[in-house]
Amino acid sequence: MPSRDDHTTVLIADESELVRKTVSRIVGRLGYHPVTASGGNEAVSLLQSSSFDALLLDIALSGKDGIDVLRFVIENSYAFPVIMISGSGDIDQVVQCLKMGAYDYLTKPVDAHRVQTVLKNAFSESALRRKVRLLTAAVDQSPVAVVIADNRGHIEYANPSFMTFRNALTECRMQENIFDDDAQPENLSVKFRNAIVSGKVWQGDYCNHKRNGEFSWERAIISPVASQGESGSHILAFMQDITESRKNQEALLKSNRRFRELADLLPQPVFETDSKGFITYSNRAGFSTFGYSRKALKQGLHALQFFAPEDKNRLMHAIRMKKNSGPSGTHEFTLFRRDGAGFPALVYTAPITERKGSGGFRGIVIDITELKESERMLRENRKKYLDLFQAIPDAIIAADAESGFLVEWNRQGQLFFGYTPEEFSRLHIGDLYPEPLREEGLAYFRNACTGQAVTLETQIVTRQGIRIDVHISSATFTTEHFRCFVGIFRDITQQKRSERLVKENIRMKNDFISTVSHELRTPLFSILGFTGTLLREQDELERETRMEFISIIHDESKRLSALIEDVLMISKIDSGRVSYKKSELDPSITVSEVCRSLKIRADEKNIDLRLRVCAPMEHIFADQDSLKQVAINIIGNALKFTPPGGVVQVSLFCEAQTMCFSVEDNGPGIPAEEAEKIFEKFFRVERPGEAVDGTGLGLSIVKEIVAAHDGTVEVKSVPNQSTVFMVRLPISMQPCRK
């Protein structure tokens, strides 16, 4: 019977609103949950969408009437009781509904006590029917054969499993006497009769032959049943075919015999224990390994006596864990033979589960003395190789040949690339190369893994983003788990720099020879040309022409002398043979003299050469000729590159304890990428379409002279706007280094 709470739902279908409200109040007071419908169609819709425990149904409904709704309930096999509500003149229809399957009926006006009684009885009978259906379904679907017979042996009920199980009964009539069943063994009928007479339950296994000649084992339980106060009026029998179970038992016995036969062939000890830890079985190897006899085994050998004292607690803990978790496991222990000799061993154990409640274990013992010695030697060799691996000065990286992810690296590799071990373990081999060279590095990795590449010169990128030139040598080898690529990364940055310097020096040397040759040839040819003309035509030339020729010869000689002086000066600087005669001097006097001497060149190019000296001007300790050469080179360069109509501003001023000498022009400027190179020997800024005289030595000489006076020189340039050279020399009366 449904519990009287909100979960027991009653559908009330009646056209009268007054009846619906009245019945709903009654149902609600009884502790049930009422739901109402005003017509037959609405009632059917609610039945399709919701679950109900009972239906109070008016016969006279609009749309579908009560009989139609009842027919819908029956056709759709709804299991709840239907109680009809009718007027006094609907008795014929009420009878029709009861014949169709309605549980009961109520007459209008509805009586509350009558409603309570009908609902209570309906729910009780509905619950009983549900239990009967459930029990019937369970017995009918049970794989166990069930049969009920009276005390004379006539079958009154047999489930489908019984009919299938007992081939002899497949064609029998339900009232056939089971005592006359040819399929029963002779003494089984006697047991049936004895069960009826004694009133006791009998159960047991027996062998049977079916009518088709098959041999089978069966298990039966026979119980007397009393009915209507009569003792032993019926018998209830449960029967089950256990042929397969018996076959499995026999197979298990054969398997156990086979296990022991095979175990005796093994060279390792095999054992079994009971729940208390006493050994119940050992193969031949167990007796020979530990030195015990079968007689000693029968007298009692506990498994713990074979283990070292320090291992016993660990063993017991392992056994407890296995009892709880079940899976087999391996543990390394020190075991002792009968003579007291110990040896290391692996003990594989597993719980014995096929013996009910045994709680024992079976296992196998493997002597690993030789394995331990091999492991010791392997560890020593591995340590040697690891020490060697870590001591190699080159960076070594190992990667999985299939995936390319890093798996090993040495100490130098970690320092070289700058990654932590955790970061290394997440890196791919491609991550070691800069983006433009990554595909090249990956192609080399793939080729090296297939033996098609051995070395590569490329660049790697460190964790800090620094690019380093490297030479990579590679090899591949196969371990137990994967194929491995090993790359040895050798830093060739210095080598590459040296190669570049050698190439650059060769280029600069060639450029210098070419430039000097050109610079020497030009004034020399001029001198030879004009002197030759004077020698050949001195009588025909006028005095002014001869003086002009002599002046040109003089200027070209001076130019040739200056060129030779630059070459000699840079040679002295490179060889360390230059010496400076330093003294206290006023730098403004020296710079003023240089500006006066270069004024003629400035006027020839229509350049405004200006000099600004900020007073007071402090003295410096310097070599006057060297200071003059610095001023000539810087101011001369400014005049050389300033276009006609331009301005060259020369300034002298003091700043803290420093004398500052600056030269600013408004010429084409210097490209930013070449600003740091202009102080190198023989370097000249390439200016397409322009031919500018010079050897590229002037600024290099300036830098060496300024450095020898503990000063600095720098340049700031804005292309196509201006260039400023700034020389700073210390103001000091103390001698500077030579």
Side-chain angles (χ1 to χ4, degrees):
M1 174 180 178
S3 59
R4 300 177 61 176
D5 54 27
D6 290 341
H7 297 293
T8 302
T9 306
V10 178
L11 176 60
I12 303 167
D14 198 294
E15 277 196 338
S16 170
E17 182 179 358
L18 177 60
V19 172
R20 290 198 304 272
K21 289 182 178 179
T22 301
V23 176
S24 294
R25 284 196 296 270
I26 295 172
V27 169
R29 285 198 299 269
L30 293 176
Y32 309 128
H33 176 63
V35 177
T36 62
S38 60
N41 293 333
E42 183 182 0
V44 170
S45 177
L46 287 172
L47 290 172
Q48 291 174 330
S49 61
S50 303
S51 176
F52 297 95
D53 298 290
L55 171 60
L56 299 180
L57 179 63
D58 186 15
I59 293 178
L61 289 175
S62 60
K64 292 181 182 295
D65 61 17
I67 295 176
D68 292 334
V69 175
L70 176 61
R71 185 177 293 108
F72 172 81
V73 170
I74 294 171
E75 289 175 352
N76 288 275
S77 302
Y78 287 102
F80 52 76
V82 179
I83 301 167
M84 307 305 297
I85 302 176
S86 68
S88 58
D90 297 332
I91 188 64
D92 293 336
Q93 292 175 317
V94 168
V95 172
Q96 181 182 354
C97 291
L98 293 176
K99 290 180 179 180
M100 289 175 63
Y103 174 74
D104 205 342
Y105 71 96
L106 301 171
T107 58
K108 300 178 182 178
V110 178
D111 179 64
H113 180 71
R114 171 68 176 161
V115 171
Q116 178 180 3
T117 302
V118 171
L119 282 178
K120 179 180 179 181
N121 294 338
F123 285 143
S124 298
E125 185 174 332
S126 177
L128 182 59
R129 288 179 178 178
R130 187 160 50 249
K131 291 179 181 179
V132 171
R133 286 196 301 270
L134 181 62
L135 179 60
T136 302
V139 173
D140 286 344
Q141 298 173 19
S142 172
V144 178
V146 180
V147 61
I148 300 176
D150 61 18
N151 56 8
R152 291 173 295 177
H154 294 289
I155 297 175
E156 296 186 0
Y157 171 80
N159 71 342
S161 294
F162 178 82
M163 305 299 290
T164 302
F165 171 65
R166 305 290 290 169
N167 288 337
L169 300 179
T170 53
E171 298 178 359
C172 72
R173 298 183 304 277
M174 283 300 295
Q175 294 299 322
E176 187 170 347
N177 195 309
I178 62 171
F179 296 152
D180 298 331
D181 182 8
D182 294 337
Q184 299 286 358
E186 294 180 358
N187 62 347
L188 191 59
S189 297
V190 177
K191 292 182 174 63
F192 282 4
R193 291 189 177 93
N194 291 339
I196 297 174
V197 174
S198 65
K200 297 180 180 179
V201 176
W202 177 89
Q203 60 179 347
D205 300 342
Y206 54 89
C207 183
N208 203 351
H209 291 276
K210 297 182 181 179
R211 288 193 176 186
N212 60 6
E214 292 182 358
F215 175 82
S216 67
W217 277 90
E218 300 174 3
R219 177 168 295 162
I221 301 176
I222 303 171
S223 174
V225 179
S227 175
Q228 297 179 350
E230 298 180 7
S231 176
S233 62
H234 290 77
I235 58 172
L236 173 65
F238 298 92
M239 300 178 184
Q240 185 177 8
D241 189 340
I242 60 171
T243 304
E244 290 299 323
S245 175
R246 294 294 289 257
K247 289 180 179 179
N248 291 337
Q249 289 178 359
E250 293 176 0
L252 180 60
L253 292 175
K254 291 181 180 179
S255 177
N256 287 337
R257 288 195 299 269
R258 190 178 297 110
F259 162 73
R260 280 161 172 72
E261 291 170 358
L262 291 174
D264 282 337
L265 297 176
L266 291 175
Q268 295 86 12
V270 176
F271 67 92
E272 287 185 351
T273 74
D274 60 17
S275 59
K276 296 180 180 179
F278 285 95
I279 297 176
T280 57
Y281 168 78
S282 174
N283 65 345
R284 292 192 182 96
F287 293 110
S288 61
T289 298
F290 290 95
Y292 289 91
S293 64
R294 295 187 182 276
K295 182 179 179 181
L297 178 63
K298 292 180 180 179
Q299 292 175 349
L301 292 175
H302 199 279
L304 286 179
Q305 71 185 68
F306 296 93
F307 291 83
E310 61 272 14
D311 286 342
K312 290 181 180 179
N313 289 334
R314 188 160 58 92
L315 173 66
M316 296 306 296
H317 175 72
I319 290 176
R320 285 193 296 271
M321 294 296 293
K322 286 183 176 62
K323 285 183 178 179
N324 295 329
S325 60
S328 61
T330 306
H331 298 276
E332 183 178 326
F333 298 98
T334 299
L335 302 183
F336 289 92
R337 298 181 175 91
R338 186 176 184 180
D339 59 6
F343 63 95
L346 290 177
V347 181
Y348 294 77
T349 60
I352 299 175
T353 57
E354 67 271 17
R355 296 197 303 226
K356 184 177 179 181
S358 70
F361 280 82
R362 64 166 56 98
I364 184 170
V365 177
I366 300 178
D367 187 344
I368 57 172
T369 303
E370 294 183 359
L371 177 62
K372 282 292 187 180
E373 181 62 21
S374 299
E375 288 180 350
R376 184 188 63 79
M377 296 179 63
L378 182 62
R379 285 194 299 270
E380 291 179 357
N381 291 335
R382 177 177 175 81
K383 185 177 184 303
K384 291 178 183 178
Y385 292 135
L386 286 177
D387 291 343
L388 178 62
F389 179 70
Q390 296 296 339
I392 293 176
D394 294 321
I396 302 179
I397 299 297
D400 179 24
E402 298 298 328
S403 66
F405 284 97
L406 306 190
V407 295
E408 192 59 73
W409 50 87
N410 67 344
R411 186 181 302 109
Q412 183 60 29
Q414 187 174 336
L415 295 174
F416 188 65
F417 288 96
Y419 292 101
T420 65
E422 291 76 13
E423 292 170 333
F424 256 129
S425 63
R426 296 191 294 268
L427 290 181
H428 189 272
I429 191 72
D431 297 330
L432 304 180
Y433 299 94
E435 184 63 34
L437 301 175
R438 185 162 298 167
E439 188 54 42
E440 178 189 18
L442 291 175
Y444 168 71
F445 168 73
R446 291 189 292 267
N447 293 334
C449 291
T450 58
Q452 301 178 18
V454 179
T455 62
L456 173 69
E457 284 193 6
T458 183
Q459 284 187 335
I460 59 93
V461 61
T462 67
R463 184 179 183 274
Q464 294 76 24
I466 301 172
R467 290 191 179 191
I468 300 176
D469 292 305
V470 294
H471 175 275
I472 308 176
S473 301
S474 67
T476 58
F477 64 89
T478 303
T479 67
E480 182 181 356
H481 304 290
F482 54 82
R483 289 181 63 247
C484 196
F485 162 87
V486 176
I488 302 176
F489 294 74
R490 177 163 294 174
D491 187 350
I492 57 172
T493 304
Q494 294 297 333
Q495 176 184 332
K496 286 290 186 181
R497 184 179 293 118
S498 299
E499 290 176 358
R500 287 193 293 269
L501 288 175
V502 169
K503 292 179 181 178
E504 182 66 17
N505 287 337
I506 293 174
R507 184 191 66 79
M508 293 173 65
K509 174 186 174 183
N510 293 334
D511 291 348
F512 172 70
I513 293 174
S514 174
T515 301
V516 170
S517 299
H518 177 270
E519 294 295 327
L520 289 173
R521 226 177 8 251
T522 301
L524 188 59
F525 284 168
S526 296
I527 293 171
L528 290 174
F530 284 108
T531 54
T533 301
L534 287 173
L535 290 173
R536 289 192 308 271
E537 303 175 11
Q538 59 178 335
D539 295 334
E540 290 83 6
L541 294 175
E542 297 180 355
R543 175 180 172 79
E544 290 182 1
T545 302
R546 287 199 302 272
M547 293 304 296
E548 181 183 356
F549 284 5
I550 292 171
S551 177
I552 293 173
I553 292 169
H554 179 72
D555 290 342
E556 292 297 326
S557 298
K558 288 173 58 180
R559 177 181 171 190
L560 190 60
S561 175
L563 176 61
I564 294 172
E565 285 296 327
D566 281 349
V567 174
L568 291 175
M569 184 64 178
I570 203 68
S571 176
K572 289 180 181 180
I573 291 173
D574 286 342
S575 63
R577 293 182 288 106
V578 66
S579 61
Y580 300 97
K581 299 178 181 178
K582 298 178 182 179
S583 61
E584 183 183 350
L585 56 85
D586 185 349
S588 62
I589 298 175
T590 303
V591 174
S592 298
E593 291 177 357
V594 172
C595 288
R596 282 194 297 272
S597 66
L598 295 176
K599 187 69 167 63
I600 298 175
R601 191 190 305 179
D603 292 341
E604 289 175 353
K605 290 188 65 176
N606 191 27
I607 295 173
D608 184 7
L609 177 60
R610 303 172 182 173
L611 173 63
R612 180 171 60 88
V613 179
C614 297
M617 179 55 60
E618 300 288 345
H619 289 194
I620 63 174
F621 197 79
D623 182 278
Q624 185 171 9
D625 292 337
S626 298
L627 181 61
K628 182 181 293 186
Q629 187 171 5
V630 169
I632 291 173
N633 287 351
I634 295 178
I635 299 172
N637 272 352
L639 295 174
K640 184 190 301 184
F641 292 104
T642 301
V647 177
V648 174
Q649 176 68 56
V650 181
S651 302
L652 277 172
F653 57 92
C654 292
E655 202 174 71
Q657 293 298 313
T658 304
M659 183 280 294
C660 300
F661 164 54
S662 72
V663 178
E664 181 178 1
D665 64 61
N666 56 358
I670 302 170
E673 63 273 11
E674 296 184 346
E676 295 182 358
K677 301 179 181 179
I678 60 174
F679 293 104
E680 297 177 2
K681 299 182 184 68
F682 313 120
F683 180 81
R684 295 192 301 172
V685 178
E686 296 292 338
R687 301 186 185 278
E690 297 183 18
V692 181
D693 296 335
T695 60
L697 295 176
L699 291 178
S700 176
I701 294 172
V702 167
K703 183 176 180 181
E704 294 293 341
I705 293 174
V706 171
H709 287 74
D710 294 330
T712 61
V713 58
E714 60 184 24
V715 61
K716 294 182 181 179
S717 182
V718 180
N720 301 318
Q721 291 188 21
S722 65
T723 300
V724 179
F725 281 88
M726 176 68 73
V727 176
R728 290 183 171 88
L729 295 174
I731 298 173
S732 175
M733 297 302 295
Q734 300 299 323
C736 301
R737 63 178 176 85
K738 292 187 179 182

